Every structure is written in structure tokens, then in C-alpha cells.
Amino acid sequence: MVDTTLTHQSGDPRLWRRRADLAFERENLKRARRAYVRTLAAGDSSATVYRRIGLVDVRRQQYARALPFLRQSLRRDSSHARTTLYLGVTYLRLDSLRRASTYLQRTIDQEARGPITKALEHHGAVHSRRGDVSAAIDAYQTALHLRPERTALYFRLATVYDEHYRDKTPAARYYRRFLRAHEGALPELRRYATSRLKALRPTLHMQQGPASSNE
């Protein structure tokens, strides 16, 4: 239907975009690229069209050809993580390692500010409630690596270690980090962390000696 309509409305960018998208979804990359280029020529110069052309070129291992389209897409929309990801991949394949690192790190930072960190945090809570302590700690620590400023994760890690491990040193360490880093924390969380540190002092003293309670 799209092809038939194009014979009568060959200058309509929406039709060329639809033709391109259909070809792209069916993995007909050569046809998709031609249709996206016609989409540009017909007046749709959106970031998505440029990104799709660049993506097609990357998937066909034509990295130098992809570069100007991915750059143009980034200029039009700097918020899309797939653009920076494919720029990173392209520069890597072209042996421009510094630029590859820059764009790949930018992709990681963009994704970390999205829902992935929240999902890891909540998944950690699920694991903890199911008693899968190792998985809970892995989830919290991964989230903290992505978002080190998300200091509520220190509290979550502290409580997991406190509730499930005989060695209370890691729990105390995370409670202290939470209290140092989270001046604006909910008062009840600060009170709880403070009270647990106080309660843990005798245990820490017995486990590791007097120096550990002053770390």
C-alpha cells in the first residue's frame, strides 16, 4: 500500500519514512537506507532519520559512512542514548579510542540516570526479602556504581549486612557512609543508622578490636 501511494505522492516524507521503517523492521537494511535517504530529501530531517541511517551503516560495518549521520543526529537530539552508543561503537571500529571512550561513557551516564538504577535498587529489595542476600548486595552495589551520589543505597547495603551477616564491620561502614553523605536524609533513617552504630560498638570491639569502632 505504501509503495502504491508513493507512486502518486512521491514527495511525502511520511510515506518514505513509513517505507523505511517497514524495511528496517524486516532487516532489509539496504532498502531501508535508501528510503531513509529519500525521507531526508523529502523534508524529514529529524534526529531519528539520521540515527537510523547511521545505525544501518554500522550494522553493515560501514563505519566511516555512518559517522556523519550519527553526528548530525546527535546535534539534533543529544539525549538519545542509542546515538552516543553507536558513535562509540563507530569510533572504536575506526580505532579512535579516545573518542570511543568518551561516547561510550556518555551512554553509560545517560542510562544510569534513567530507570535502570531504580530498577536495580528495587530488585535488590526483592532479593533481600526473598532471602537471596548475595543477589541483593550485587544489585545494590551495581546501582551504587552507576549512581554513586545516590547515597540512600548506603543505607540499604548497611541494613542487608546488618540483618544477614555475623560480621558487622561492613554494616557499620555503610551506616557511617550514609550518615556522612546524606545530611538531608529522612530523620527516621538517620536515627536508625545512628542507633544501630551505637548498638554495634560492643560487637565490633569483640570482632576486630577497639580500632574498628573508631574507623
Side-chain angles (χ1 to χ4, degrees), residues 10 30 35 47 63 76 118 137 141 153 180 189 213 215:
S10 60
K30 189 174 182 179
Y63 303 109
R76 292 178 180 274
K118 267 291 190 182
I137 289 172
Q141 288 182 336
L153 290 162
R180 285 198 299 265
L189 297 186
S213 62
E215 85 176 51

Side-chain angles (χ1 to χ4, degrees), residues 17-194:
R17 172 69 181 275
R18 182 59 179 156
R19 185 185 197 185
D21 289 343
L22 287 170
F24 185 85
E25 290 165 9
R26 294 171 181 171
E27 297 290 323
N28 189 338
L29 300 182
K30 189 174 182 179
R31 183 176 184 180
R33 193 187 194 282
R34 284 199 303 265
Y36 282 126
V37 170
R38 290 295 298 267
T39 304
L40 286 177
D44 181 353
S45 57
S46 64
T48 301
V49 174
Y50 280 108
R51 181 171 57 253
R52 283 287 178 90
I53 296 173
L55 197 157
V56 166
D57 288 338
V58 169
R59 289 173 64 178
R60 297 175 71 192
Q61 300 182 15
Q62 296 178 343
Y63 303 109
R65 193 183 191 191
L67 200 54
F69 293 99
L70 292 171
R71 284 173 170 170
Q72 187 65 253
S73 179
L74 187 66
R75 280 194 287 268
R76 292 178 180 274
D77 178 8
S78 61
S79 66
H80 203 291
R82 284 178 70 85
T83 308
T84 52
L85 170 61
Y86 280 97
L87 273 166
V89 170
T90 299
Y91 279 119
L92 175 62
R93 300 305 184 194
L94 294 172
D95 290 325
S96 181
L97 301 185
R98 182 182 60 81
R99 289 180 176 176
S101 179
T102 297
Y103 284 110
L104 292 172
Q105 185 61 54
R106 184 169 169 179
T107 305
I108 292 167
D109 293 341
Q110 284 178 294
E111 290 298 289
R113 288 192 294 270
I116 185 65
T117 308
K118 267 291 190 182
L120 283 165
E121 184 176 349
H122 290 303
H123 206 194
V126 170
H127 288 310
S128 181
R129 291 177 65 177
R130 294 174 64 184
D132 193 347
V133 180
S134 178
I137 289 172
D138 285 346
Y140 289 144
Q141 288 182 336
T142 301
L144 190 61
H145 179 74
L146 291 171
R147 293 286 300 275
E149 77 281 5
R150 193 171 182 79
T151 48
L153 290 162
Y154 292 135
F155 184 85
R156 289 188 177 273
L157 280 163
T159 56
V160 170
Y161 278 111
D162 196 3
E163 292 170 7
H164 297 284
Y165 286 83
R166 292 185 64 186
D167 181 2
K168 302 301 181 182
T169 305
R173 182 171 64 250
Y174 282 115
Y175 280 133
R176 292 189 186 102
R177 288 183 180 179
F178 171 72
L179 290 170
R180 285 198 299 265
H182 216 322
E183 296 295 334
L186 292 174
E188 57 267 31
L189 297 186
R190 291 187 62 81
R191 284 195 296 269
Y192 182 85
T194 302

